[in-house]
């Protein structure tokens, strides 16, 4: 078996279809990921996306029996076998079970069923107060009643949504996320998310054709998030960890630590904890 590293997020490293362990800096330890997008399909097409052969679309149907078997296999390996001591740095702990796939997880029609499987597994392995259930999402389905209902089912285990907002500027959104921007839709989705879950904004900051985000773009971002300052848990700012897998003509680059910090300093007028990851 391979050894885990924060640089290797290959979901196939341990040869399972849906469930994969990774070391996550942002989770602060081992994260057991759930990939509901085995066909590499997403409704967004971010220019920095690290998913190879990304296509626009929804997940294919999920074999929930197999997913459950894989989840139980991994939880057994991690909590009752020597997986962590054999494959992770000393003192690594399981921190979360995270919906983090090769596309948007909430687009899966089996999302609620999978949440029920996760809840069952957490109860079975007595992990209720030891880990968090996380959803890493572009947020675009958060106001759907089915997603609301599904996420509300988690009430005995800490939960958290990492909600992607790279920018609220229309031109930026078209360029970076390659979707038709709608601030009203983003508002509805973030408000729905805050109704059912502790929420952190995750923002990927990149240099586009050598330029950092403009003052206008940062000012719009601040004024949008100002509305939700009291309810949000914080902001994760990060830049490219690995090269994009998308075929793009635009030149995109990772920020230096100093550049990312300069963006963090600008948005620090928001009364929110800001963490940077480079
Ligand atoms: S939302 Fe996530 S998975 Fe979808 S294209 Fe953007 S980065 Fe890739």
């Amino acid at each position: 078996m391979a050894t885990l590293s924060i640089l290797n997020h290959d979901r196939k490293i341990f040869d399972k279809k849906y469930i994969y362990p990774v070391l996550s800096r942002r989770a602060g330890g081992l994260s057991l990921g759930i990939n509901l997008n085995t066909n590499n399909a997403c409704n967004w097409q971010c220019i920095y996306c690290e998913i190879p052969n990304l296509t626009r679309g929804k997940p294919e149907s999920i074999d929930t029996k197999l997913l459950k078997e894989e989840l139980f296999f991994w939880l057994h390996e991690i909590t009752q076998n020597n997986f962590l001591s054999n494959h992770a740095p000393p003192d690594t702990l399981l921190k979360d079970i995270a919906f983090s796939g090769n596309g948007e997880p909430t687009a899966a029609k089996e999302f609620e069923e999978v949440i029920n499987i996760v809840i069952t597994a957490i109860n079975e392995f007595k992990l209720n107060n030891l880990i968090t259930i996380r959803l890493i999402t572009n947020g675009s389905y958060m106001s759907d009643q089915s997603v609301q209902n599904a996420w509300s089912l988690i009430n005995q285990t800490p939960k958290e949504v990492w909600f992607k907002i790279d920018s609220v500027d229309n031109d930026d959104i078209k360029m970076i996320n390659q979707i038709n921007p709608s601030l009203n839709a983003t508002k509805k989705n973030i408000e729905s998310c805050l109704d059912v879950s502790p929420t952190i904004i995750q923002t990927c900051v990149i240099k586009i054709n050598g330029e950092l985000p403009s003052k206008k773009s940062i000012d719009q971002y601040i004024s949008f998030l100002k509305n939700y300052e009291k309810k949000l848990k914080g902001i994760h700012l990060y830049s490219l960890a690995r090269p994009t897998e998308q075929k793009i003509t635009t030149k995109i680059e990772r920020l230096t630590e100093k550049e990312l910090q300069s963006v963090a300093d600008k948005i620090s007028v928001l009364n929110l904890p800001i963490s940077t990851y480079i």
Side-chain angles (χ1 to χ4, degrees):
M1 267 193 180
T3 300
L4 294 168
S5 122
I6 54 165
L7 296 175
N8 191 346
H9 279 206
D10 183 349
R11 305 191 206 289
K12 295 213 166 62
I13 191 169
F14 290 112
D15 195 29
K16 294 272 182 269
K17 185 167 184 187
Y18 297 108
I19 313 290
Y20 61 98
V22 286
L23 284 182
S24 162
R25 280 181 307 165
R26 287 204 278 159
L30 188 80
S31 174
L32 200 50
I34 302 181
N35 178 19
L36 299 184
N37 309 78
T38 48
N39 59 351
N40 299 353
C42 189
N43 59 331
W44 289 21
Q45 234 166 10
C46 305
I47 52 174
Y48 55 75
C49 186
E50 296 161 1
I51 294 159
N53 306 316
L54 181 76
T55 56
R56 187 94 61 167
K58 293 203 168 197
E60 60 196 351
S61 75
I62 291 160
D63 180 345
T64 49
K65 186 169 169 284
L66 176 63
L67 185 149
K68 186 174 180 180
E69 278 168 23
E70 291 187 5
L71 182 60
F72 275 65
F73 166 83
W74 278 118
L75 287 175
H76 185 265
E77 287 298 300
I78 292 163
T79 62
Q80 288 161 32
N81 272 345
N82 296 329
F83 177 78
L84 284 174
S85 52
N86 287 343
H87 300 284
D91 303 326
T92 303
L93 295 176
L94 175 64
K95 289 295 192 180
D96 70 19
I97 295 179
F99 288 88
S100 168
N102 285 2
E104 175 48 44
T106 56
K109 61 182 187 321
E110 299 85 352
F111 186 58
E112 178 170 336
E113 195 185 341
V114 177
I115 289 201
N116 275 316
I117 291 170
V118 173
I119 292 171
T120 305
I122 286 180
N123 287 336
E124 188 103 356
F125 285 87
K126 301 190 173 35
L127 291 169
N128 273 309
N129 294 311
L130 299 176
I131 64 168
T132 300
I133 305 177
R134 289 208 163 89
L135 170 61
I136 301 177
T137 176
N138 63 29
S140 52
Y141 296 101
M142 275 320 291
S143 58
D144 286 13
Q145 198 56 51
S146 60
V147 176
Q148 292 266 296
N149 293 346
W151 200 245
S152 301
L153 292 171
I154 306 164
N155 51 27
Q156 303 290 320
T157 307
K159 64 181 172 183
E160 202 169 76
V161 174
W162 292 356
F163 188 113
K164 182 187 290 298
I165 297 183
D166 295 333
S167 175
V168 292
D169 176 86
N170 285 350
D171 293 335
D172 286 356
I173 294 170
K174 279 187 217 159
M175 154 92 73
I176 299 169
N177 307 118
Q178 304 199 78
I179 51 165
N180 287 325
S182 162
L183 202 55
N184 280 340
T186 309
K187 273 186 194 157
K188 197 170 163 204
N189 283 317
I190 188 74
E191 285 165 18
S192 301
C193 189
L194 287 164
D195 282 346
V196 292
S197 186
T199 304
I200 287 177
I201 299 296
Q202 47 159 350
T203 301
C204 181
V205 193
I206 50 175
K207 269 194 276 188
I208 300 178
N209 295 328
E211 301 282 335
L212 286 166
S214 66
K215 179 175 183 311
K216 174 179 157 239
S217 169
I218 290 180
D219 288 348
Q220 284 178 321
Y221 177 92
I222 292 168
S223 93
F224 181 77
L225 289 184
K226 193 88 195 149
N227 301 310
Y228 306 109
E229 218 176 25
K230 290 202 175 73
K231 289 188 172 172
L232 286 168
K233 269 183 86 175
I235 298 175
H236 287 177
L237 277 190
Y238 59 101
S239 194
L240 299 178
R242 290 165 287 276
T244 179
E245 287 283 345
Q246 309 315 308
K247 290 187 187 75
I248 49 169
T249 49
T250 318
K251 184 179 165 213
I252 62 171
E253 287 168 276
R254 177 187 193 173
L255 271 63
T256 63
E257 199 173 341
K258 202 169 153 203
E259 287 167 337
L260 192 65
Q261 191 53 50
S262 78
V263 177
D265 291 345
K266 285 178 190 146
I267 64 172
S268 66
V269 292
L270 290 165
N271 188 18
L272 282 168
I274 300 169
S275 310
T276 56
Y277 301 89
I278 198 87

